[in-house]
Amino acid sequence: MNSAASKPALVGIDWGTSSLRAFLIGAGGEVLDSIMSDEGIMHVPDRDFDAVFDRVVGSLPVGPGLPVLMSGMITSRNGWVETPYAQLPLGAERLAGSIVSHGTKTGAEVHFVTGAATEHKGGPDVMRGEETQIVGVAALGLTDGLFVMPGTHSKWVNLEGSGIANFSTYMTGEIFAALKDRTILGTLIEDGDYNGAGFEAGVAAGLEDSADLLHNLFHVRTLPLMEMIPKPAVADYLSGLLIGTEISAATQDVDTADHITIVGRSDLSDRYEIALRLGGFQNRHAPNDVVARGHFEIARYAGLIG
Amino acid sequence: MNSAASKPALVGIDWGTSSLRAFLIGAGGEVLDSIMSDEGIMHVPDRDFDAVFDRVVGSLPVGPGLPVLMSGMITSRNGWVETPYAQLPLGAERLAGSIVSHGTKTGAEVHFVTGAATEHKGGPDVMRGEETQIVGVAALGLTDGLFVMPGTHSKWVNLEGSGIANFSTYMTGEIFAALKDRTILGTLIEDGDYNGAGFEAGVAAGLEDSADLLHNLFHVRTLPLMEMIPKPAVADYLSGLLIGTEISAATQDVDTADHITIVGRSDLSDRYEIALRLGGFQNRHAPNDVVARGHFEIARYAGLIG
C-alpha cells in the first residue's frame, strides 16, 4: 500500500474483456492502492462475477460501506449488468446522472457507468470504459483537442471543454493480428526485435495515402520479395502501414500544429507517438491511471462520496 | 472434344497457385479442348511438375511436337521454372521476346511467359498470368481503358492500345477471408444465402469514403449489434464494404462515364459488376478463356506456331 494522502473514499474498477484493475481511491482523488487481475469478462468462470468481485475487493485494504463504481466491458451484454449507451456530448455530470446500481449476492450495492454511443455516416460507434478514462483526463486539466487511445480497437476522441464531442473507433490492432496470422503476409514475417526503420517506412506509406490501404498491403508482400526491405522488417512495416493509415484518416480535419494526446501507456502507445511525430503532429502523453480519476469524478458528481 | 474449326496448333497452360487449366488451341486461336485440374503449384506432390505436366498434356488429344506455352504462378520462385518480370509498357510482342524455354525430363521443350512488374509510390506491383489474359483480351479487340480482374488478389490494369500501361494489386479477397475467420467480426457472421441488400449497403459505405476503411470496419460490428442490419446480412455487408473501398480507390482518376471491363467469370465477378453499377460505372464482361487467346498471340509473335 502506498503512503496515503487521505483516507479511502471509493473503489473504482476498470473491468475489461481480458483483464481488470481495481483501485482504492482517496478523498482527494489519488490512487491509494490497486490490484490487477486477468479475470476479464471473457475469463470469469461460470460467469460468476459476484465471486470475482468479492475476491478482488476483499484483497484491497478496504472497510465495509465504501462505494464501488465500475466501468468497461463489464457493462456490456456479455458482462455483469448491461447499461445503456449515453449520447454525446458527454462529461462527468451526465455520466453521473445515468449510473446503474445493482445489489450483489452478498448484499453490497455497486454502481456501473454507462457506455457512450454516437452515429457516423457509415454506422454507430460505441465505447465502454474509455468514457471514464476521458473524464479522468479532463479532470487533470487536459481539456479540448484530440485524444488517441491505442488498443485492439483504438479510439480517437474529440473533447470540447471537458466533454466528449465525438469519437471514432479504428480496428487497426485486431486487423494487424488477423493479417499477420491468416494471410500470405504472415508467411513473410520473421520473429525478432522491433525494427524501427521498417516501422517508420510503413508509417510513411500509410500517411501518404490512406485511401489505398487494400493496395498498399500488397506492397508488404512485394517489398521483401524484391529485397527492398529486409525480412526482419516486414512485421513492423505492416504495423506502421496500418497505424499510419489510421492516423492519416483520423486527422483529416486536424491542423498539424495541434496537440494530440496519447492516453494509455504501452509498447503500442510508443508506436503511436513515433507515428504522430512522423506525421508532423505535436503529441503528449496523459498520466497513468486516469481511469481511477474518472471513477472519482463521476462518483463525486453522483454524490457517492460522502 | 468440341467441333474443331482448324487443326491443333498449340497447347496453352494457365498454371496457378491452386489449379491449372490446359487448352488445346487451334490454328485460328480458338479453343478446341480444355482440361481443368486442382494440381496448382501448391498441390504438386514432391514438386514433380514434370509428372503433372506429362499426365495433363497426355490426356489432351494432342500429337507429339505441338508447342507448349505456360503462364501463371508456375513461373514464380515456388513454381517449375522462375522467369523474370518484364517491365511496362508490355504487350504480346515484348512478352514473346522474353519467353523462357525449358527441356522436360521426357525430352519435350516447353516455354514459359514472363510475369510483369511495375513500381508505385508505396512499392512494386507484380503479376504472373494476368498479363497473358490481358493479351488475350486485347486480341479480341477490347483495347484501351480500365480492366478489373477479380480474385484473391484482384488486379486493376490500364491498357493503352493493346499494351499494359500500368496495374495495381488489391488484397481485398484475402483480407475478407482473414477478417471473417480471425476477428470479432467473424463471430457475428451467419452462414446463409447471398444477401443483396447487405452487400449493396456495404458497397455504398465503401464507395463513400475509401480513406476510412479501418474505421468503417468497426461498423460491421456495430450495425448488427444495434440491429441496424440483420445478422444474415453481415458477411455480405463486409464483402461489399471491402469491394466498394477497392473500387473507390482504384477509380480515383476515372470518369464515371468510362467503361470498365471485368475479366473472369465467377460469383466474385458478379459482385464487382453490381458494385461498379452502384458506383455509376458502365461495365462489360470479357469473354471466357481469354487466357488461351493470350497464349496463342504470344506464341504467334514468338514464331512457335508453324
Side-chain angles (χ1 to χ4, degrees):
Chain A
M1 188 168 172
N2 301 328
S3 68
S6 60
K7 62 177 188 172
L10 177 72
V11 174
I13 304 180
D14 180 21
W15 199 332
T17 301
S18 55
S19 64
L20 74 82
R21 284 190 77 187
F23 300 91
L24 185 61
I25 301 166
E30 75 280 24
V31 173
L32 306 177
D33 205 342
S34 73
I35 291 173
M36 178 127 184
S37 158
D38 58 5
E39 288 163 304
I41 67 165
M42 301 312 274
H43 310 291
V44 169
D46 302 324
R47 293 177 46 80
D48 188 353
F49 298 104
D50 285 85
V52 173
F53 172 78
D54 288 342
R55 189 168 62 249
V56 166
V57 174
S59 66
L60 281 173
V62 43
L66 213 59
V68 176
L69 186 62
M70 289 183 247
S71 61
M73 290 299 283
I74 191 68
T75 70
S76 70
R77 204 166 298 172
N78 296 318
W80 192 356
V81 171
E82 185 177 2
T83 64
Y85 291 111
Q87 297 298 311
L88 307 185
L90 186 62
E93 191 167 357
R94 283 192 58 190
L95 285 167
S98 59
I99 280 175
V100 174
S101 302
H102 174 76
T104 73
K105 288 177 186 164
T106 51
E109 191 185 25
V110 295
H111 308 280
F112 294 92
V113 178
T114 51
T118 188
E119 182 73 31
H120 291 112
K121 222 165 32 188
D125 260 59
V126 293
M127 56 167 57
R128 288 191 182 276
E130 293 92 349
E131 73 296 324
T132 304
Q133 291 178 265
I134 288 291
V135 165
V137 165
L140 293 167
L142 304 176
T143 54
D144 291 306
L146 191 56
F147 296 74
V148 57
M149 313 174 85
T152 309
H153 296 172
S154 66
K155 304 283 182 190
W156 288 77
V157 183
N158 273 99
L159 273 189
E160 289 180 6
S162 305
I164 298 173
N166 200 3
F167 68 92
S168 298
T169 306
Y170 287 76
M171 288 191 66
T172 312
E174 186 167 11
I175 288 165
F176 172 75
L179 296 180
K180 186 165 170 291
D181 290 348
R182 288 290 289 195
T183 69
I184 199 164
L185 304 181
T187 63
L188 296 165
I189 287 177
E190 294 177 350
D191 286 332
D193 295 333
Y194 170 70
N195 186 298
F199 180 74
E200 296 190 14
V203 169
L207 287 170
E208 171 95 19
D209 188 2
S210 73
D212 221 9
L213 178 62
L214 294 169
H215 176 207
N216 284 332
L217 284 169
F218 189 64
H219 299 145
V220 182
R221 175 169 162 74
T222 55
L223 287 167
L225 285 180
M226 301 294 201
E227 295 176 356
M228 293 168 74
I229 64 173
K231 282 187 85 176
V234 175
D236 290 312
Y237 184 89
L238 173 60
S239 165
L241 175 62
L242 290 167
I243 291 173
T245 300
E246 173 187 328
I247 289 173
S248 172
T251 58
Q252 281 177 76
D253 304 323
V254 175
D255 188 325
T256 50
D258 285 355
H259 269 285
I260 294 176
T261 304
I262 303 170
V263 182
R265 289 284 172 116
S266 64
D267 290 349
L268 191 59
S269 55
D270 292 343
R271 289 177 182 247
Y272 277 74
E273 180 177 358
I274 294 166
L276 285 168
R277 202 177 54 231
L278 286 171
F281 294 100
Q282 305 283 327
N283 68 81
R284 59 186 180 186
H285 281 278
N288 288 332
D289 296 343
V290 288
V291 70
R293 183 61 189 242
H295 289 134
F296 178 79
E297 290 299 316
I298 296 167
R300 206 160 55 86
Y301 272 105
L304 294 176
I305 296 178
Chain B
M1 188 164 172
N2 302 329
S3 67
S6 58
K7 63 177 186 172
L10 177 72
V11 174
I13 305 181
D14 180 21
W15 199 332
T17 300
S18 55
S19 65
L20 73 83
R21 283 190 79 186
F23 301 92
L24 185 62
I25 302 166
E30 75 280 25
V31 172
L32 305 177
D33 205 343
S34 72
I35 290 174
M36 176 129 188
S37 159
D38 58 7
E39 287 162 305
I41 67 164
M42 300 312 275
H43 309 292
V44 170
D46 303 323
R47 294 178 46 80
D48 188 352
F49 297 105
D50 284 84
V52 173
F53 171 78
D54 288 342
R55 188 167 63 250
V56 166
V57 174
S59 67
L60 282 172
V62 44
L66 212 58
V68 176
L69 185 62
M70 289 183 248
S71 61
M73 290 300 284
I74 192 67
T75 71
S76 70
R77 204 166 301 171
N78 297 319
W80 192 356
V81 171
E82 186 177 1
T83 64
Y85 291 111
Q87 296 298 312
L88 306 184
L90 186 63
E93 192 166 356
R94 284 194 57 190
L95 285 168
S98 58
I99 280 175
V100 173
S101 301
H102 174 77
T104 72
K105 288 177 186 164
T106 51
E109 190 186 28
V110 294
H111 307 279
F112 294 92
V113 178
T114 52
T118 187
E119 183 73 29
H120 290 110
K121 222 165 32 188
D125 261 59
V126 293
M127 56 168 54
R128 289 191 181 276
E130 293 93 347
E131 73 296 322
T132 304
Q133 290 177 268
I134 288 292
V135 165
V137 165
L140 292 168
L142 303 177
T143 54
D144 291 306
L146 191 56
F147 295 74
V148 58
M149 312 174 85
T152 309
H153 297 171
S154 65
K155 303 284 183 190
W156 288 77
V157 183
N158 273 97
L159 273 187
E160 289 180 7
S162 305
I164 298 173
N166 199 2
F167 68 91
S168 299
T169 307
Y170 288 76
M171 288 191 63
T172 311
E174 186 167 12
I175 288 166
F176 173 75
L179 296 180
K180 185 164 171 293
D181 290 348
R182 288 289 289 193
T183 68
I184 199 163
L185 304 181
T187 63
L188 295 164
I189 286 176
E190 294 176 349
D191 286 332
D193 295 333
Y194 170 69
N195 186 299
F199 180 75
E200 296 190 14
V203 169
L207 288 170
E208 171 96 18
D209 188 3
S210 74
D212 221 9
L213 178 61
L214 294 169
H215 177 205
N216 284 332
L217 284 170
F218 188 65
H219 299 145
V220 182
R221 174 169 163 74
T222 55
L223 287 167
L225 284 181
M226 301 291 201
E227 296 175 355
M228 293 168 75
I229 64 174
K231 282 188 85 175
V234 175
D236 290 312
Y237 183 89
L238 173 60
S239 165
L241 175 61
L242 290 168
I243 291 174
T245 300
E246 173 187 329
I247 288 173
S248 173
T251 58
Q252 281 178 73
D253 305 323
V254 175
D255 188 324
T256 51
D258 286 354
H259 267 284
I260 294 176
T261 305
I262 302 169
V263 182
R265 288 285 172 116
S266 63
D267 290 348
L268 191 59
S269 55
D270 292 343
R271 288 177 184 247
Y272 277 75
E273 179 176 358
I274 293 165
L276 285 168
R277 201 176 57 230
L278 287 172
F281 294 101
Q282 304 283 326
N283 67 82
R284 60 186 180 186
H285 281 278
N288 288 332
D289 296 344
V290 288
V291 71
R293 183 60 187 245
H295 289 135
F296 179 77
E297 290 300 315
I298 296 167
R300 205 161 56 84
Y301 272 104
L304 294 176
I305 296 178

